[in-house]
Amino acid sequence: TLQTWMQSKVDTNTAANTVVVMTDGHACPDTVCATNDANALVRKYVNAGGRIIWPSTPCVYYQGHKNTGTYTTWASGGCLNIFGVSIVNDLGSDTPTITAEGAKWGIIEMGGAGWTDIAPSTVTSVLAQNPAGNGKAAFKNFNSTYPNSGLVLYSDFLDGNDPEQRISVYNLATYPYSY
């Protein structure tokens, strides 16, 4: 299971050079997000040098419950409490612009403007932004020994049928990551 694998990486200090792509957008499984704070396993994983690609903002909006199909709503507090990333409710529909750093990481397309933005002051770098400068994609590092490890937030609307978005997610997952 993801929980067993992630816990093993944390316990054996082997999370560096590993990547998890969370595919359920706003939800995090309760097996790796048992708590709505920095003690959640997903946070311990990035602290240990792992990388999580989260194709949605805000991440951890919901805690998904195993085998029940039900969710607990944490709203923007999940992303803030677990990862220290603040969400700005912009409610705009501005088309995001990929930043130079985002192009370096390999983003070739953003999924859409969406309804929430990432507060730039709460991340390491903004990878795509709206005209106001708020993040639409961002990276946050939690372990200076592994500077490319951490949390990557990408897009509000991820369309799995869009080849350019799939390439962007692949590039974010494989961005230079050897130590």
Side-chain angles (χ1 to χ4, degrees):
T1 66
L2 178 60
Q3 176 187 19
T4 301
W5 179 85
M6 207 177 261
Q7 188 66 58
S8 170
K9 295 296 176 189
V10 170
D11 292 346
T12 60
N13 199 28
T14 58
N17 296 314
T18 64
V19 178
V20 170
V21 178
M22 293 299 221
T23 59
D24 193 6
H26 299 295
C28 184
D30 60 4
T31 57
V32 294
C33 286
T35 60
N36 186 2
D37 57 32
N39 292 311
L41 184 54
V42 289
R43 174 61 184 268
K44 292 177 182 179
Y45 172 74
V46 294
N47 286 350
R51 182 187 297 169
I52 296 176
I53 311 300
W54 218 302
S56 146
T57 58
C59 66
V60 201
Y61 194 88
Y62 301 106
Q63 177 197 44
H65 300 292
K66 185 178 180 181
N67 300 324
T68 67
T70 62
Y71 296 88
T72 298
T73 301
W74 286 346
S76 296
C79 195
L80 179 63
N81 296 337
I82 293 173
F83 295 112
V85 175
S86 184
I87 300 301
V88 179
N89 289 319
D90 178 327
L91 298 181
S93 59
D94 302 319
T95 301
T97 302
I98 299 166
T99 65
E101 186 70 9
K104 185 171 114 179
W105 276 71
I107 297 176
I108 60 172
E109 180 183 279
M110 290 297 300
W115 297 108
T116 59
D117 294 336
I118 303 157
S121 62
T122 63
V123 295
T124 305
S125 57
V126 173
L127 305 178
Q129 63 189 16
N130 70 6
N134 291 325
K136 290 296 189 178
F139 165 70
K140 183 168 184 176
N141 176 258
F142 295 87
N143 186 326
S144 60
T145 302
Y146 308 110
N148 293 332
S149 69
L151 176 67
V152 179
L153 298 168
Y154 170 76
S155 189
D156 283 279
F157 304 119
L158 187 61
D159 177 359
N161 295 316
D162 184 328
E164 290 179 338
Q165 285 184 8
R166 288 195 313 264
I167 291 168
S168 292
V169 170
Y170 173 82
N171 290 343
L172 291 168
T174 60
Y175 178 74
Y177 198 35
S178 291
Y179 302 106

